[in-house]
Amino acid sequence: MRNRLSLLTSLNVRRRSLLTCALLLCVGSLCAQSLLSPETLAKREKRKNLTVKEWNTDSKTKTRWLDRIKVYDSQGRIVEEAEYATYGQKWRITYKYDEETGKVTEEVEYNDRNTPSRIRRYEWNPDGTKAKQYNYLPNGKLFSVKVFEYIFSD
């Protein structure tokens, strides 16, 4: 009888801690979204699942070519950006986001041959400012680290 009681108590404690963790995750994601201004939220709402293509036209020959593409995800955040010239792609960048905070965690820059040329990973401070930027070579080797320092003066 005593073993059953301690087992039930243990299960209740685990259940409560799981519920607490789930609640904290939900509140954390709501807080991250509530930090965004209403203007930013309105802009994101308009950009959901949007692809924007910019075209150039030569004034003499009337030849058209693709200049730039921006692709947005279902939350209105940019996930890919590419610039083109008359000969093809100049560069392309893809973005990955942290689902909890909504902040960019990784950028991969591709060259004109569509192979990775630079990888950037980010760490963020609790107040939403950048803490560190890690720059990697295409082979995955760490190249440099940029640390951000914020100093407010009167």
Side-chain angles (χ1 to χ4, degrees), residues 107-129:
E107 291 179 13
V108 180
E109 188 173 328
Y110 298 86
N111 61 16
D112 58 344
R113 295 181 181 176
N114 207 28
T115 58
S117 60
R118 183 178 306 159
I119 301 166
R120 294 183 195 106
R121 293 196 176 113
Y122 298 100
E123 283 184 8
W124 297 86
N125 292 319
D127 65 353
T129 56

